[in-house]
């Protein structure tokens, strides 16, 4: 298992920078600021829609982006403005929008780790709705960053080592 | 350039819709879509496209592996990676697998059109 928790601050900084770029480019939404919490938290509180993806290889983290509903709605309206959303499929497209935004942010983050020779694998995003919190199992490391935008908050949670969990954040004992 | 038959390989519904809109706007025809690497290989056999846009992060088989499989069977295949995955190591792996170009998301129509022109000029 390759995991070095000192990499978390570097990944946080990368995600903040790429989130600012992607939200501006894709949805003309400005990031107003961000605050971070240390690794001692015992549980993570989630918002309305949460997208989880894993960064593998030397980074070895699961990363959960939890969006407030107002931000999801703003992203959905902007991202789907030029495509046809069939009636009744709005919720599907909201989830797809959140997943694609997270996939783009994390993919671009890999450009900030060019000095790592090993390929950084990125897992397809998994989307969960209506979950309220995640408790920290033994041996896991949590860290959290709250990014404030003009349209709502996205909380980004870092959970490692990656190998302790499956893609749904279920603990692998 | 005459209209191209294009296969889009991407597991994101939003990305497929946006790429279709851009490609059709350029006058090309989308002859198929696939949401996994494994399905991409089958879709290539069926659709016989002039060009493939290939994502990297997908379920069951990633885009680099799917590219290698397609090139193994169809050495002249023109595959452009369209992905957010910007790590240099991944770009090198993709080109080693046989991709002819690499476009980073978020995709802009000018960026995609320019890459298609370059790839077609090199391979026809």
């Amino acid at each position: 298992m390759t995991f070095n928790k000192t990499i978390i601050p570097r990944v946080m900084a990368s995600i903040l920078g790429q989130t600012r770029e992607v939200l501006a480019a894709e949805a003309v939404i400005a990031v107003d600021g961000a605050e971070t919490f240390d690794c001692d938290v015992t549980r993570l509180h989630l918002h309305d829609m949460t997208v989880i993806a894993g960064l593998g290889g030397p980074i070895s983290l699961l990363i959960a982006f939890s969006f407030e509903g107002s931000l999801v709605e703003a992203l959905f309206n902007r991202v789907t403005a030029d495509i046809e959303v069939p009636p009744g499929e709005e919720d599907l497209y909201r989830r797809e929008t959140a997943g694609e935004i997270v996939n783009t942010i994390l993919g671009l983050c890999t450009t900030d780790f060019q000095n790592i020779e090993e390929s950084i694998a990125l897992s397809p995003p998994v989307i969960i709705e209506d979950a309220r919190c995640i408790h920290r199992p033994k041996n896991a490391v949590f860290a959290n960053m709250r990014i404030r935008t003009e349209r709502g908050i996205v909380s980004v949670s870092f959970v490692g080592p990656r190998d302790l969990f499956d893609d749904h954040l279920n603990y692998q004992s | 350039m005459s209209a191209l038959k294009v296969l889009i390989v991407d597991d994101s519904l939003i990305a497929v819709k946006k790429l279709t809109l851009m490609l059709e706007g350029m006058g090309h025809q989308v002859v198929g879509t696939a949401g996994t690497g494994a399905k991409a290989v089958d879709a290539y056999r069926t659709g016989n496209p002039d060009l493939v846009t290939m994502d990297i992060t997908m379920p069951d088989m990633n885009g680099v592996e799917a590219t290698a499989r397609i090139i193994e069977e169809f050495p002249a295949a023109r595959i452009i990676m369209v992905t957010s995955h910007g790590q240099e190591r991944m770009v090198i792996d993709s080109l080693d697998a046989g991709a002819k170009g690499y476009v980073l998301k978020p995709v802009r129509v000018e960026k995609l059109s320019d890459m298609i022109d370059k790839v077609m000029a090199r391979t026809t």
Side-chain angles (χ1 to χ4, degrees):
Chain A
M1 184 184 300
T2 56
F3 180 64
N4 175 1
K5 72 179 184 181
T6 61
I7 202 164
I8 290 177
R10 281 185 64 196
V11 180
M12 272 187 178
S14 172
I15 283 178
L16 177 57
Q18 297 297 352
T19 299
R20 184 186 295 120
E21 295 288 328
V22 171
L23 293 190
E26 290 285 89
V28 202
I29 293 174
V31 168
D32 295 329
E35 53 202 298
T36 61
F37 304 90
D38 63 27
C39 298
D40 292 332
V41 293
T42 54
R43 62 181 178 174
L44 302 170
H45 294 277
L46 303 179
H47 302 300
D48 301 282
M49 186 178 292
T50 302
V51 181
I52 301 165
L55 283 173
I59 293 182
S60 187
L61 283 173
L62 272 180
I63 302 176
F65 286 71
S66 192
F67 295 88
E68 283 189 338
S70 58
L71 182 54
V72 171
E73 200 60 26
L75 289 168
F76 166 73
N77 287 331
R78 293 282 192 165
V79 169
T80 62
D82 57 352
I83 60 177
E84 184 190 349
V85 177
E89 294 189 13
E90 291 83 358
D91 286 345
L92 169 65
Y93 278 75
R94 280 186 189 89
R95 292 193 292 272
E96 287 281 332
T97 297
E100 182 64 4
I101 290 284
V102 168
N103 186 52
T104 302
I105 291 169
L106 291 180
L108 293 175
C109 282
T110 64
T111 61
D112 294 330
F113 294 89
Q114 300 291 13
N115 59 329
I116 293 176
E117 180 61 22
E118 190 181 342
S119 293
I120 300 170
L122 174 59
S123 72
V126 172
I127 297 150
I128 55 176
E129 292 177 277
D130 301 326
R132 285 293 161 253
C133 71
I134 302 167
H135 292 271
R136 179 163 67 92
K138 189 181 171 187
N139 300 330
V141 173
F142 275 7
N144 190 257
M145 172 169 61
R146 186 179 297 147
I147 300 175
R148 298 181 183 279
T149 80
E150 59 184 342
R151 305 302 295 268
I153 288 171
V154 54
S155 293
V156 186
S157 302
F158 303 80
V159 186
R162 166 81 177 86
D163 316 34
L164 283 180
F165 302 90
D166 67 14
D167 286 339
H168 299 268
L169 271 179
N170 294 314
Y171 185 60
Q172 311 279 306
S173 54
Chain B
M1 186 197 308
S2 56
L4 302 172
K5 293 189 296 174
V6 185
L7 169 66
I8 298 173
V9 184
D10 201 307
D11 62 329
S12 160
L13 187 57
I14 300 277
V16 169
K17 287 241 179 183
K18 291 206 167 224
L19 284 169
T20 300
L21 202 65
M22 288 182 198
L23 290 162
E24 290 180 348
M26 294 174 208
H28 304 311
Q29 181 193 2
V30 176
V31 293
T33 65
T36 72
K39 286 178 182 167
V41 182
D42 289 337
Y44 194 98
R45 291 188 193 114
T46 308
N48 190 28
D50 301 308
L51 184 79
V52 180
T53 70
M54 179 76 74
D55 190 17
I56 288 184
T57 304
M58 290 183 293
D60 82 17
M61 181 195 294
N62 73 34
V64 176
E65 196 179 340
T67 295
R69 294 268 185 98
I70 290 172
I71 292 290
E72 186 180 358
E73 199 171 328
F74 303 94
R78 301 182 190 95
I79 300 174
I80 296 175
M81 310 308 284
V82 178
T83 176
S84 62
H85 208 307
Q87 189 194 16
E88 191 176 328
R89 178 72 257 164
M90 199 58 83
V91 177
I92 293 167
D93 288 349
S94 299
L95 298 179
D96 282 349
K100 303 290 190 292
Y102 206 97
V103 174
L104 269 183
K105 292 180 181 177
V107 181
R108 296 285 170 259
V109 67
E110 303 79 19
K111 203 161 60 171
L112 180 61
S113 174
D114 187 49
M115 183 55 71
I116 291 173
D117 289 347
K118 283 179 180 162
V119 167
M120 295 308 294
R122 282 206 325 259
T123 56
T124 49

